[in-house]
Amino acid sequence: MVLLHGTFGLTNWGVIEQALSAGGYSVYPFDYGNGGTEEIGRSAGALARFIQDVLARTGAKRVSVVGHSQGGLMARYYVKSLGGNAHVDDLIALSPPNHGTMNLFAQAGWFECEACAEQQAGSPFLANLNKGQEAPGPVDYTVIQTRYDVVVVPYTSAFLGGPPDRVTNITLQERCPSDFADHVNIPSDPVALQWIENALGHADLQVRRPQHR
């Protein structure tokens, strides 16, 4: 199990890492791209090398990946463009900017952050990533999103298109209206954790799959 933090490396994996470790998973957090600020393709190349090392050390044939924010997006790039589809079983993304954000944080001039510009809605990076199949097989994709996301704007930008037997889009509040998790604290949200565990166990999620536009 590989964990990928979001931009600026602020993701708190405490709840998820403890729960997955207690559930018998070997958990490998990966710190990439100078706190997730470097160009996403370069970070994905580092992820490819990291996963190869994990597979070599463990003897596993595939890994599962949980990515928060940019972590989920960067993992998609690895799967689609760097051969990661041969090494990833499940890709579970928490509040990923799969179709970009209109939030001002993505304006490149505000930070020394190449990845911020690439996550902006309409960026060349996203146009290339989303061309053709958004979720190529044989990987299973689960996107877990919250209506209270003010970083990925609109929040529906997170959702992926693809065959329903491999792509599941979840809005937390559809099953738990009183869940007020936002972009930053979704990795610590117990409802999101339950969806992660369900996805890893390939449970029948039985949720409505909203459109991403």
Side-chain angles (χ1 to χ4, degrees):
M1 174 67 58
V2 175
L3 303 181
L4 304 176
H5 62 68
T7 308
F8 306 121
L10 300 178
T11 303
N12 183 347
W13 288 122
V15 170
I16 289 175
E17 186 170 4
Q18 182 177 1
L20 295 182
S21 296
Y25 292 96
S26 296
V27 181
Y28 300 91
F30 179 51
D31 183 15
Y32 64 89
N34 190 28
T37 61
E38 293 181 354
E39 186 262 332
I40 293 173
R42 188 182 311 141
S43 295
L47 173 64
R49 294 187 291 274
F50 181 81
I51 287 178
Q52 289 289 354
D53 182 62
V54 169
L55 294 175
R57 283 189 285 144
T58 62
K61 297 193 180 298
R62 287 179 175 268
V63 299
S64 292
V65 175
V66 179
H68 175 225
S69 193
Q70 185 198 154
L73 181 69
M74 188 264 284
R76 275 188 63 216
Y77 184 91
Y78 163 63
V79 167
K80 187 171 184 178
S81 301
L82 299 181
N85 60 327
H87 306 298
V88 175
D89 186 13
D90 293 285
L91 198 170
I92 303 168
L94 305 173
S95 298
N98 281 319
H99 296 91
T101 179
M102 299 180 71
N103 186 296
L104 288 178
F105 96 93
Q107 300 295 331
W110 283 34
F111 309 102
E112 293 183 4
C113 176
E114 296 171 279
C116 294
E118 291 178 317
Q119 293 172 83
Q120 186 175 358
S123 74
F125 172 84
L126 288 171
N128 182 65
L129 178 62
N130 292 321
K131 187 188 306 179
Q133 293 188 54
E134 293 186 0
V139 179
D140 288 324
Y141 300 80
T142 302
V143 175
I144 303 170
Q145 178 58 315
T146 171
R147 287 197 178 108
Y148 300 107
D149 194 331
V150 296
V151 175
V152 176
V153 179
Y155 77 90
T156 51
S157 174
F159 299 131
L160 287 173
D165 61 327
R166 290 194 299 99
V167 178
T168 302
N169 293 307
I170 297 160
T171 303
L172 292 176
Q173 289 76 23
E174 287 183 358
R175 285 296 185 88
C176 186
S178 62
D179 190 327
F180 295 101
D182 62 15
H183 184 89
V184 173
N185 61 35
I186 193 172
S188 302
D189 182 64
V191 180
L193 173 61
Q194 184 176 3
W195 287 117
I196 292 170
E197 293 173 332
N198 287 351
L200 291 171
H202 294 270
D204 183 1
L205 297 177
Q206 296 181 337
V207 295
R208 178 169 63 85
R209 294 172 172 82
Q211 298 298 312
H212 63 258
R213 301 206 192 280

